[in-house]
Amino acid sequence: MEHQEKTARQTESAEERINDALVKLVRVKQFEHVTVTEICRQAHTSRITFYTHFADKYALLNKYFKSMTGAAAETFFRTQKINNIKNNPIQSWCNFLDAVLGLNNKYGDVLSRAESGEDPYLYFCFHREVLCSVKQFIKKNCGVLKPKYSVEQISSLLCDGMWGFIDESRAQHIPETEIRREAEDSLRIILNSRLFAE
C-alpha cells in the first residue's frame, strides 16, 4: 500500500514537472517549435519518463487544456450552487461564461499566446476544447433554451463571437472587470434573442 502511494506521488510529480515545463516553453516559443527533448530538459526528466506518461507533446497539450476546462467546470458548478439555485438558464450561461473567463486568471500566461496570430496550434487546441464544452452545455440545456439553429452553429457563434469580443476589448485596454460585465450583457442579449426559445 505504501509503495503504491509513493508511486502515485512520483507519477503526479513527474507529470506536474512535465506540464510546468511545457508552460514555460510555450511562453517563449510557438508550440510547434517545442520539442520533447526541450520539455524533458526543462522538466529535469528523461524521455522514457515523458513517454511513460504521454504519447507525444500533442497528448500533453490536450491533457493540459482538458485540465483547464475541468477547472472551469468546477468553478461553474460551485457558482451555480451560490447564485443560481433555481437553475435559471440565462444565469447558467452567464456562470458558464464567467467560469471560462476565469481561466484567464489562472492560465493567462498560456492563453495570451493562444491567439491565432501568435501561436496557431495553441489557439486551435484551446478553441476546440472550449467549443466542445459549449456544445455539451448547449445539449444539456436544450430542453430549456432551444437553439433555433444547430448546436454546432450556435456553439461556433457563441465561442467565436465572445472570444472576438473579449480579444477586441483587451486590445482596447478595457479593464477585465468591465470586459466581464460587458461580455455578460452581450451574452444575455444573445440568449434573449430569437436565436433561442424558452
Side-chain angles (χ1 to χ4, degrees):
M1 183 69 159
E2 191 176 305
H3 176 70
Q4 289 174 329
E5 288 176 10
K6 182 179 179 184
T7 303
R9 282 194 309 272
Q10 288 172 335
T11 296
E12 189 176 295
S13 175
E15 285 185 8
E16 284 177 12
R17 287 194 325 272
I18 292 168
N19 217 21
D20 291 346
L22 174 69
V23 170
K24 287 177 184 171
L25 290 165
V26 297
R27 282 181 189 150
V28 295
K29 65 193 302 189
Q30 284 189 352
F31 175 77
E32 287 295 317
H33 299 295
V34 172
T35 65
V36 170
T37 300
E38 289 173 311
I39 294 168
C40 292
R41 189 177 306 124
Q42 183 75 39
H44 304 290
T45 194
S46 68
R47 290 173 63 88
I48 292 171
T49 301
F50 179 92
Y51 287 113
T52 299
H53 298 283
F54 303 101
D56 53 31
K57 70 179 189 174
Y58 301 99
L60 169 61
L61 184 65
N62 287 336
K63 186 171 183 180
Y64 179 74
F65 281 134
K66 283 194 185 310
S67 72
M68 273 187 183
T69 54
E74 288 175 20
T75 300
F76 167 76
F77 290 118
R78 219 176 15 255
T79 306
Q80 282 287 93
K81 288 178 184 176
I82 295 168
N83 76 353
N84 197 15
I85 297 166
K86 293 184 179 183
N87 210 22
N88 176 291
I90 292 180
Q91 186 59 50
S92 292
W93 272 99
C94 292
N95 289 344
F96 184 81
L97 173 68
D98 199 49
V100 172
L101 289 175
L103 292 175
N104 196 56
N105 294 336
K106 188 171 182 181
Y107 302 99
D109 51 349
V110 173
L111 294 181
S112 65
R113 304 253 322 142
E115 297 171 0
S116 58
E118 198 166 335
D119 196 328
Y121 193 78
L122 274 184
Y123 174 82
F124 167 77
C125 287
F126 181 67
H127 183 270
R128 181 188 63 209
E129 193 62 36
V130 170
L131 189 63
C132 181
S133 296
V134 170
K135 283 180 191 176
Q136 290 172 350
F137 191 78
I138 290 173
K139 286 177 182 175
K140 183 178 180 212
N141 289 287
C142 274
V144 182
L145 281 178
K146 294 177 178 60
K148 181 177 180 179
Y149 302 101
S150 76
V151 169
E152 289 74 18
Q153 288 172 305
I154 295 296
S155 300
S156 294
L157 171 72
L158 291 173
C159 283
D160 294 340
M162 291 310 290
W163 280 118
F165 180 89
I166 292 162
D167 285 344
E168 198 53 46
S169 298
R170 287 182 177 144
Q172 294 176 26
H173 306 290
I174 296 173
E176 198 67 29
T177 54
E178 194 173 332
I179 292 172
R180 280 177 178 243
R181 185 182 48 75
E182 291 175 353
E184 185 177 313
D185 288 346
S186 300
L187 181 59
R188 285 180 186 276
I189 291 167
I190 291 168
L191 294 173
N192 283 309
S193 74
R194 291 184 2 201
L195 289 174
F196 291 89
E198 281 194 70

